[in-house]
Amino acid sequence: MTVASAADRRQQVVWKGPPRLDLRYEVTHRPTQSMWEAMMKVTPGMASSGEDPIVRELEDYVAELTGKEAAMYLPTTTNGTVLACMARDVRGKQVIMEARCHIYWVERLHISHLAGAAPKLIRGDKYGAMDLQAIEDAINETAYGYTPPTGMICLENTHNVYGGTVLTPAYTEAVAKLAHDHGIDLFLDGARVFNSAVALDVPVRALTAPADHLVLSLNKGLGAPLGGVLCGSREFVDEAKVLAKRMGMIAIHKAGLFAAAGMVALKTMYAGLADDHRRARRLAEGLSEIDGLSLDLETVQTNLVRVSTAGTGISALELAHRVAEHGLAIHVMEPDVFKMALCYDVDDAQVDEALAIFAKVLA
């Protein structure tokens, strides 16, 4: 059952409890049995003092995986974006980012509130890629005899709002070169970078190594119960650890329990992402055959599906309420756009069920 949300208060369906079929996000799904078993075997140390061997193992593993000198285990990827901006002292500077990116919209301007930076938004293409010349122009833009300093350039891979679209290694390298030519750091919001690597069939480090620092999630596609990992140079991570202590982000008591599940996720869940992508494609193709729903199949590259309701004559919120009455949860993104996320806990039968629900409520 659902609780109807007032359209003028919140543009989402509010649920009393977990939906029966939740396609809003990956993070509302259960960890695997092997993750629970790994957690039960751990005797945790004091991770904030560097005394937990499982946390150290995870940090070393992710640093090697991403091609960086060091890494820091954090509760969330949002912690990582905040710390990256604070550690690189972007106060009073502009931070260039794609106009629909997660950092700007979902994280509620935290880089301004906490790091004192001014977001400089550039609208990307349908894959979330900003034009290189537009970035160059933003760096050099001058008015009233003043050129605002640029403290950082941010990329998001995959791009959430555009439907899980990917940025290629070549594009990432080109942006990194442009940034470094101007003495600017490149930050990668890589919450779903594992999905991007699988979709492009490249090593993770091909997408992460060009960036100066990055953050990735263990509990989106990989399904761990907790954790983001901030990666970069040893100097950068050491500075970020001091800031994390001051901000209350690093004192995860019994962190080894969650790190153990994170190691299982890193070592066993990566290959399964291809199945999530396959199911997302099948879901997208099925939805494209329902009158009134429209989507760009070229942007269905990973595990997310972005769908427009414009042709149905009803809003995305109204459709969300209709499918909720059948136990299906979807994520309203815009007045006439919703998103769905596929993950290890959603199988082919559930994809078929979701398609049947959409067909029924739009008949």
Side-chain angles (χ1 to χ4, degrees), residues 91-269:
R91 186 170 300 278
K93 301 175 184 178
Q94 66 179 12
V95 174
I96 296 172
M97 59 188 70
E98 203 282 323
R100 308 296 300 283
C101 71
H102 192 277
I103 291 176
Y104 182 79
W105 286 99
V106 180
E107 297 174 15
R108 304 292 178 89
L109 289 175
H110 64 7
I111 68 165
S112 298
H113 185 73
L114 297 172
K120 178 69 172 180
L121 304 181
I122 297 175
R123 189 63 177 258
D125 60 19
K126 68 180 183 179
Y127 304 106
M130 298 177 286
D131 179 73
L132 295 178
Q133 188 58 55
I135 298 175
E136 182 81 39
D137 292 344
I139 294 170
N140 296 318
E141 184 177 12
T142 300
Y144 303 101
Y146 175 68
T147 302
T150 299
M152 188 181 293
I153 299 172
C154 298
L155 298 179
E156 182 179 340
N157 196 8
T158 66
H159 199 295
N160 184 1
V161 170
Y162 289 108
T165 49
V166 303
L167 301 177
T168 65
Y171 176 79
T172 307
E173 290 168 2
V175 177
K177 181 180 185 306
L178 189 160
H180 297 156
D181 286 347
H182 289 275
I184 299 168
D185 281 358
L186 175 64
F187 173 74
L188 175 66
D189 178 356
R192 294 183 174 92
V193 73
F194 296 107
N195 292 92
S196 187
V198 167
L200 293 167
D201 193 22
V202 298
V204 171
R205 69 166 51 204
L207 300 170
T208 57
D212 296 281
H213 25 267
L214 67 126
V215 66
L216 53 80
S217 174
L218 301 178
N219 59 11
K220 287 194 167 67
L222 298 185
L226 180 81
V229 185
L230 181 65
C231 310
S233 67
R234 173 64 61 186
E235 178 187 9
F236 167 80
V237 171
D238 286 345
E239 185 175 357
K241 284 183 177 180
V242 174
L243 293 167
K245 186 70 172 178
R246 291 172 180 163
M247 298 287 287
M249 297 177 181
I250 201 170
I252 312 173
H253 297 313
K254 301 186 179 181
L257 300 176
F258 301 105
M263 286 302 299
V264 172
L266 286 162
K267 293 181 176 181
T268 68
M269 302 298 285

